[in-house]
């Protein structure tokens, strides 16, 4: 089993749709989680950290499910500009600094 | 402006040659990382360093070497032992040594080996 797994997609959705991505992780002791956005041939940029109680930033909501060992990212009212690859990052060995990426989920928002 | 500088942006080498990728940060971050990305793939961890003069292997360290002699610098050498060195290489740093804070990335170096 991979340490961090994502469904690569692509997810093709119309503008205005709500879409959700999941990211599963193998180590139940993992403590820190992040979502990044990556545009084609660019470096990843931080979208949001994921907190235990869940957190929201505008149209984006991140949640953590420790029992099932996954994090999720929900995007509401999708815009064309949301088209990108979304990468989850997990501190797979708590407090060691070892940060592992999922392979990414590609989102295409269509007019 | 604070940030991470990777150079060069594009690098071309002949097979069998070692090549060193530069990564410098002026964010005063303790931790630094090297990742590799192949087309259509996520980022894979090569090496990371939580503190000066110390570093750990990531998941794909074979064929690579690093040094961390200064807090702001974490160069990566791609040796001739690396079987498929052509890739997009990303350097990152984090203020926290324990992986509790987000990563900040440089713009990356695209290495092509022929």
């Amino acid at each position: 089993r991979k340490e961090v797994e994502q469904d690569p997609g692509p997810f093709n959705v119309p503008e205005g749709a709500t879409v959700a991505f999941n990211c599963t992780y193998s180590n139940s002791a993992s403590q820190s989680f992040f979502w990044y956005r990556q545009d084609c041939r660019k470096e990843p940029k931080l979208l949001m950290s994921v907190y235990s109680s869940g957190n929201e930033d505008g149209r984006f909501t991140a949640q953590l499910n420790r029992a099932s060992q996954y994090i999720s990212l929900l995007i509401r009212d999708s815009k064309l500009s949301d088209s990108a690859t979304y990468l989850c990052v997990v501190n797979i060995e708590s407090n060691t600094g070892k940060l592992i990426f999922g392979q990414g989920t590609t989102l295409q928002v269509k007019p | 402006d604070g940030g991470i500088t990777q150079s060069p942006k594009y690098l071309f080498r002949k097979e069998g040659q070692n090549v060193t990728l530069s990564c410098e940060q002026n964010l005063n971050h303790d931790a630094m990382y090297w990742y590799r990305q192949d087309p259509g793939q996520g980022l894979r961890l090569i090496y990371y360093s939580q503190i000066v003069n110390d570093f750990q292997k990531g998941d794909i360290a074979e064929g690579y070497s690093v040094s961390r002699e200064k807090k702001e610098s974490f160069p990566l050498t791609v040796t001739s032992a690396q079987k498929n060195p052509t890739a997009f290489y990303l350097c990152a740093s984090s203020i926290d040594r324990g992986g509790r804070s987000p990563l900040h990335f440089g713009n990356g170096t695209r290495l092509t080996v022929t």
Side-chain angles (χ1 to χ4, degrees):
Chain A
R1 182 183 176 186
K2 287 185 180 177
E3 294 174 298
V4 181
E5 288 194 86
Q6 292 181 256
D7 179 348
F11 284 59
N12 295 303
V13 303
E15 263 187 298
T18 295
V19 62
F21 313 131
N22 287 342
C23 167
T24 59
Y25 57 95
S26 61
N27 187 352
S28 60
S30 298
Q31 293 291 328
S32 304
F33 311 89
F34 310 94
W35 281 103
Y36 279 75
R37 171 194 169 125
Q38 186 177 28
D39 293 292
C40 191
R41 299 180 68 80
K42 298 280 195 179
E43 76 277 16
K45 292 197 183 298
L46 178 68
L47 186 62
M48 57 200 304
S49 302
V50 184
Y51 301 122
S52 296
S53 55
N55 47 300
E56 190 174 302
D57 183 2
R59 296 181 295 109
F60 299 85
T61 300
Q63 293 196 312
L64 167 64
N65 185 318
R66 285 199 185 276
S68 299
Q69 293 179 215
Y70 73 89
I71 60 172
S72 63
L73 177 68
L74 181 80
I75 305 176
R76 289 182 299 277
D77 189 22
S78 298
K79 312 289 185 193
L80 295 175
S81 57
D82 292 334
S83 297
T85 296
Y86 292 85
L87 299 155
C88 62
V89 186
V90 178
N91 179 203
I92 202 68
E93 295 174 8
S94 185
N95 298 328
T96 65
K98 187 177 183 183
L99 290 160
I100 299 298
F101 280 75
Q103 71 177 101
T105 297
T106 299
L107 172 65
Q108 280 284 348
V109 182
K110 308 283 190 185
Chain B
D1 282 340
I4 301 178
T5 301
Q6 288 187 245
S7 61
K9 188 171 182 179
Y10 297 96
L11 192 52
F12 298 88
R13 280 293 183 269
K14 294 287 188 186
E15 197 173 319
Q17 294 179 335
N18 290 357
V19 60
T20 297
L21 281 57
S22 169
C23 179
E24 303 278 330
Q25 56 102 356
N26 60 5
L27 298 167
N28 200 33
H29 284 178
D30 281 326
M32 295 188 75
Y33 299 76
W34 275 105
Y35 291 90
R36 167 187 173 136
Q37 187 174 35
D38 294 283
Q41 303 293 315
L43 280 68
R44 292 185 290 167
L45 181 62
I46 304 172
Y47 269 100
Y48 62 109
S49 168
Q50 295 170 280
I51 196 169
V52 174
N53 292 323
D54 190 32
F55 48 83
Q56 287 77 42
K57 292 182 179 180
D59 294 335
I60 56 163
E62 186 175 346
Y64 299 98
S65 66
V66 293
S67 63
R68 186 87 187 274
E69 296 174 4
K70 297 185 295 182
K71 187 175 186 178
E72 57 270 22
S73 180
F74 192 39
L76 173 74
T77 296
V78 185
T79 75
S80 56
Q82 168 49 230
K83 290 184 173 52
N84 298 296
T86 295
F88 185 37
Y89 290 88
L90 286 153
C91 179
S93 70
S94 178
I95 195 166
D96 180 72
R97 298 175 189 176
R100 292 175 290 262
S101 295
L103 293 165
H104 297 255
F105 281 91
N107 292 336
T109 292
R110 292 192 182 276
L111 173 64
T112 302
V113 177
T114 58

